[in-house]
Every structure is written in C-alpha cells, then in structure tokens.
Amino acid sequence: MKTLIVYASWFGHNRAVARAIALELARCGVSVSCRPASRVTKDDIAGYDLLVLGTYTHAGRASRRLHALCESIPHRLFGRLEVAIFGTQSPPERGDRRPSGVSELATALAERGVDLALEPLTIGLRRPAAFLPWRGIGAAERRQIKEYVADLWEASVPEPIL
C-alpha cells in the first residue's frame, strides 16, 4: 500500500504529527511519502492508495491550500483512494461554537461524496503555547497517533482473499 500524507502547518504542529503518522505507518510496512500541501498537486496523488490530510484550525477553518487541493482532485480519483484526516487545534474559547479545521475539512469532503476511512484524529494544543513552535509530541499525543494508525491500518488494508 502506498500512502501520501499531505499536511498544512504554520508553526510545525501538523508537520510533527504528519511525520509521527508516517513513522508509524512505515513500521507497519507501508510505503509512505510525507509532504507539505504547498508541494502537492492533484497530479501527485494518482499513484497512491491512501491519502492522509492534515490541517490546522485558524478561525474555525481548515487550510485554504488543502481545500483547494481537495477541490482539484477529480471525483473518480477519490473513488480509488482511502482518505483520512488529522489536525491540531487550540482549545476553544468559552462560548466559541466554530467548528475545528478538521471537522470543516471532513464536511467539505463529505459534500464531494468522499467517505473517510475512519474518524479524524484531532490533537489538542495547550494554551498559551498553541501558537509557539512545538518542542515535540508528548506521550499522550503519541498514544493517540499510534491508536489512529492502528485503526487506519485496519480500515484501509484489504483483507487477504483465502
């Protein structure tokens, strides 16, 4: 199985999560490419079986670049891909009802008829350091990522035909 992880990251949070997901998938024997959204076009996606998209949340919205990429992918290509989403977000302010970038991107894909392979992974960032460069992924986040990859593996690898 060939996997492409495409992430949008302003402060390095999603890049760190994308790399951790790539490492866990590689440990499962998966061929993985991990690239920032600024370096991926719809033509780059054609040779992959699994597309994992990672977004930040800014003002309740997902990355515009990831939105544009998803809009540019032909529907027939989405039909041949397993698709998954992950992302990071700061805890909402009191009374803030805006969606996360992850849920907003999931909704945009659903409107295009794309079924996700599993529920998206959302990594919560702690305040006030949410907008500072990340020093690394903590133990709790590593557990979340390992569980996500295990579920992703189970959801996207076809059962052998006996």
Side-chain angles (χ1 to χ4, degrees):
M1 177 169 69
K2 287 183 64 180
T3 300
L4 177 61
I5 300 173
V6 181
Y7 63 89
S9 188
W10 278 358
F11 299 103
H13 305 104
N14 281 316
R15 180 180 59 236
V17 174
R19 289 177 177 169
I21 291 170
L23 181 62
E24 288 299 318
L25 284 169
R27 286 183 181 150
C28 295
V30 175
S31 172
V32 182
S33 295
C34 186
R35 299 188 208 153
S38 61
R39 293 191 175 161
V40 177
T41 68
K42 66 178 168 74
D43 298 326
D44 297 324
I45 295 169
Y48 292 92
D49 307 302
L50 173 61
L51 176 63
V52 183
L53 302 167
T55 188
Y56 52 76
T57 298
H58 177 71
R61 303 288 314 250
S63 159
R64 285 186 217 155
R65 193 177 302 255
L66 277 179
H67 268 292
L69 175 64
C70 291
E71 288 298 319
S72 72
I73 298 170
H75 194 288
R76 63 180 158 58
L77 185 54
F78 270 130
R80 294 191 304 249
L81 283 169
E82 293 287 341
V83 179
I85 300 174
F86 72 91
T88 55
Q89 73 177 56
S90 300
E93 297 286 337
R94 181 172 297 208
D96 186 359
R97 301 265 186 245
R98 290 181 288 193
S100 71
V102 172
S103 62
E104 195 236 352
L105 188 58
T107 298
L109 287 168
E111 288 171 355
R112 291 207 58 207
V114 177
D115 292 325
L116 298 178
L118 73 163
E119 287 295 314
L121 168 67
T122 302
I123 302 283
L125 302 175
R126 294 177 202 93
R127 290 205 188 271
F131 295 110
L132 299 176
W134 221 7
R135 297 194 189 276
I137 297 172
E141 291 86 6
R142 285 215 185 276
R143 271 192 305 281
Q144 280 184 281
I145 291 166
K146 284 183 179 199
E147 290 172 10
Y148 177 75
V149 169
D151 292 345
L152 184 57
W153 173 258
E154 187 174 315
S156 61
V157 174
E159 293 287 326
I161 299 173
L162 302 176

